[in-house]
Amino acid sequence: MNMASGHIKTKTLKNGKKSYNIVIDKGRDPMTGKRLRVQKAVKNITKKEAEKILRNMLIEAEQGLLIDSNNITVEQHILRWEEDVVKPLRARSTARAYETYIHQYIIPGIGKIKLQSLSTYTVQQFYNEFMKSPTIRGTSRSPRSLRKLHMVLRASLEMAVDYELIKKNPAAKAKLPKCNKYKGEVYTIEEINELINLSVGTNVEMPVLLALALGARRGELLALTWDDLNFATSEVTICKSLGQIKGEVFVKTPKTESSVRTISIPNNVLQQLKKHRHEQLKFKLKFGREYVDRKLILCKDNGDYLKLDALSNRFAKFMKKTGMRHLRFHDLRHLHATMLLSLGIPAKIAQERLGHQSISTTLDIYSHVLKEDEQKAVRQIDDAIFSNTINM
């Protein structure tokens, strides 16, 4: 291994002051034979201070910590960020999603650009081109997909700022299109009852009942086991979730502490769960040794995991067959919260049942329900007080 060496080049500026170009020679690249040099230009310091910087850079070079920030590309940096931060510190599903944006879009789009040359203008042009390009299915890009791409690029460049590879984040001030929030259908209590009745005897009966009764996420429901259920206290503990990447399913822990929660189950739903368990035992006997006993509440007939997209497809077919107003399976979670708030249940309880980290999330999503309640309150005040005074 070659020992690093270094020297200082001194230059006199027009104002008579000195500037110093510190050069570190790290030997030759064993693969290419190219000489490896790292340079750093400094001014407004003394020769003694420049020599101190040289000594520190030589120490970093010997430890393998000295990086040629002048020549490092966006691709080199983001691949290092992926290895050092994304893979070891992000959830498996999140890391795979980041991988798609890194390798399919960022590296082909701006990967060859030197990190120090990347400007906000270049990032903005990259985003504009991304929005113009069609998806794999030939459809147009959504503002939400650009925001996800932006989140990945901005986070990686923030590490470059922290490591003093660049002075500021060029993605920080890029302009993004407005992202409209999805608003699911709001069903009346009568429609919810009709939905439940229509699901009886179908392959979505239990998923629909549990989603409406618990307000749990799709992945949380599919990871529930009979061990999570306490018939004695009428409670269920939600402490894990089913993930899926390219057809492969796996159990994962929740992202936040608030997602782990123990909530009560309506008594009528509890009775249906007892019947459901009895039906599962029949399938267990039918499949015999081929039965995959994972103790899941919601599963395939053979006891194995029911995939997330399989459940969504089942529900979509069910909804199409019934002719009821459009609903995604995830909207059943929203309906649970809508029922709670419409019935006057405090928002804090809704937050705890849904596993929201902040109550502001709960209030923001279900503001339409609160607005209706406010209007009812105003009408009650008007009838009780002002109608008896102003019109006298």
Side-chain angles (χ1 to χ4, degrees):
M1 183 176 178
N2 295 326
M3 293 288 289
S5 60
H7 62 276
I8 300 174
K9 293 180 180 179
T10 306
K11 182 180 179 181
T12 303
L13 303 176
K14 290 182 179 180
N15 59 8
K17 293 184 178 181
K18 304 284 186 180
S19 71
Y20 305 96
N21 188 35
I22 303 169
V23 183
I24 304 296
D25 191 333
K26 297 167 64 178
R28 293 187 181 276
D29 189 315
M31 298 294 291
T32 64
K34 186 178 179 181
R35 186 165 291 283
L36 300 174
R37 283 197 177 115
V38 179
Q39 300 186 51
K40 185 173 184 178
V42 290
K43 57 184 179 179
N44 297 325
I45 63 172
T46 63
K47 180 71 178 292
K48 190 175 182 180
E49 288 171 327
E51 290 171 347
K52 183 178 180 181
I53 293 174
L54 171 62
R55 290 193 297 271
N56 289 336
M57 289 176 68
L58 284 170
I59 293 172
E60 289 181 354
E62 294 300 328
Q63 294 175 342
L65 301 175
L66 188 62
I67 300 171
D68 185 2
S69 58
N70 293 317
N71 292 315
I72 189 171
T73 63
V74 173
E75 178 179 4
Q76 290 171 325
H77 169 70
I78 202 165
L79 288 176
R80 174 51 53 197
W81 177 71
E82 183 182 22
E83 288 298 322
D84 293 350
V85 178
V86 178
K87 290 182 178 179
L89 302 179
R90 297 291 187 269
R92 186 178 173 186
S93 55
T94 303
R96 288 297 293 270
Y98 280 22
E99 179 185 327
T100 299
Y101 285 107
I102 291 169
H103 294 275
Q104 289 189 16
Y105 303 112
I106 296 175
I107 290 178
I110 56 175
K112 301 305 178 186
I113 299 174
K114 287 186 178 180
L115 189 62
Q116 291 194 350
S117 299
L118 188 66
S119 64
T120 301
Y121 178 81
T122 304
V123 171
Q124 189 68 60
Q125 294 303 307
F126 169 57
Y127 287 172
N128 294 346
E129 289 301 316
F130 173 79
M131 288 301 291
K132 291 177 184 178
S133 64
T135 64
I136 296 175
R137 297 178 181 177
T139 57
S140 58
R141 302 279 181 190
S142 68
R144 189 176 299 276
S145 64
L146 176 58
R147 285 182 176 273
K148 290 179 180 178
L149 172 66
H150 170 69
M151 178 182 68
V152 174
L153 181 59
R154 180 170 180 171
S156 69
L157 293 175
E158 200 58 44
M159 189 183 86
V161 175
D162 294 340
Y163 285 4
E164 298 182 357
L165 299 177
I166 53 177
K167 291 183 179 180
K168 59 182 180 179
N169 191 331
K173 293 186 178 181
K175 305 300 180 184
L176 303 174
K178 187 176 181 181
C179 190
N180 295 322
K181 291 183 179 180
Y182 174 85
K183 292 184 179 180
E185 292 286 349
V186 179
Y187 270 27
T188 63
I189 297 298
E190 291 74 23
E191 286 176 307
I192 292 172
N193 285 329
E194 183 183 1
L195 179 66
I196 294 172
N197 290 331
L198 288 170
S199 72
V200 174
T202 71
N203 58 5
V204 296
E205 177 181 0
M206 211 63 222
V208 166
L209 199 60
L210 287 180
L212 288 170
L214 306 179
R217 301 172 179 89
R218 181 183 56 170
E220 292 172 337
L221 291 172
L222 292 178
L224 280 178
T225 65
W226 293 107
D227 291 338
D228 299 324
L229 190 59
N230 190 327
F231 283 102
T233 61
S234 301
E235 292 178 324
V236 64
T237 298
I238 299 172
C239 56
K240 53 190 176 298
S241 182
L242 193 69
Q244 181 176 331
I245 299 176
K246 295 182 179 179
E248 178 191 354
V249 296
F250 56 93
V251 177
K252 58 182 181 178
T253 55
K255 288 184 178 180
T256 61
E257 291 183 8
S258 57
S259 292
V260 178
R261 57 205 188 273
T262 298
I263 58 177
S264 299
I265 308 172
N267 184 59
N268 286 310
V269 175
L270 202 62
Q271 299 310 312
Q272 290 300 317
L273 278 167
K274 290 179 180 179
K275 294 179 182 178
H276 177 64
R277 190 173 193 181
H278 182 70
E279 291 299 316
Q280 268 193 2
L281 292 174
K282 291 181 181 179
F283 280 107
K284 188 174 182 179
L285 290 172
K286 177 183 176 182
F287 281 87
R289 292 182 178 181
E290 294 181 4
Y291 191 81
V292 185
D293 195 359
R294 301 186 187 278
K295 298 183 179 180
L296 294 166
I297 295 177
L298 301 177
C299 57
K300 294 180 181 178
D301 290 345
N302 70 347
D304 207 354
Y305 291 117
L306 179 63
K307 294 181 179 180
L308 283 80
D309 53 4
L311 176 57
S312 293
N313 290 336
R314 281 187 184 185
F315 185 72
K317 290 177 181 178
F318 163 75
M319 289 301 294
K320 187 175 181 180
K321 186 176 180 180
T322 62
M324 294 192 72
R325 284 192 292 132
H326 174 72
L327 275 183
R328 305 172 305 169
F329 186 81
H330 186 72
D331 291 331
L332 300 179
R333 172 172 159 83
H334 295 325
L335 287 183
H336 175 78
T338 299
M339 287 188 291
L340 291 176
L341 298 177
S342 296
L343 294 171
I345 307 299
K348 183 64 178 175
I349 293 178
Q351 176 202 349
E352 292 171 354
R353 287 187 68 84
L354 294 164
H356 286 155
Q357 190 169 15
S358 170
I359 195 168
S360 61
T361 304
T362 311
L363 297 177
D364 180 49
I365 295 175
Y366 306 108
S367 58
H368 62 284
V369 180
L370 299 176
K371 186 64 179 178
E372 291 173 3
D373 289 344
E374 183 219 2
Q375 292 171 346
K376 289 178 184 177
V378 170
R379 287 195 293 271
Q380 290 174 349
I381 292 173
D382 196 24
D383 293 340
I385 301 174
F386 298 111
S387 62
N388 298 322
T389 55
I390 296 177
N391 295 323
M392 287 181 64

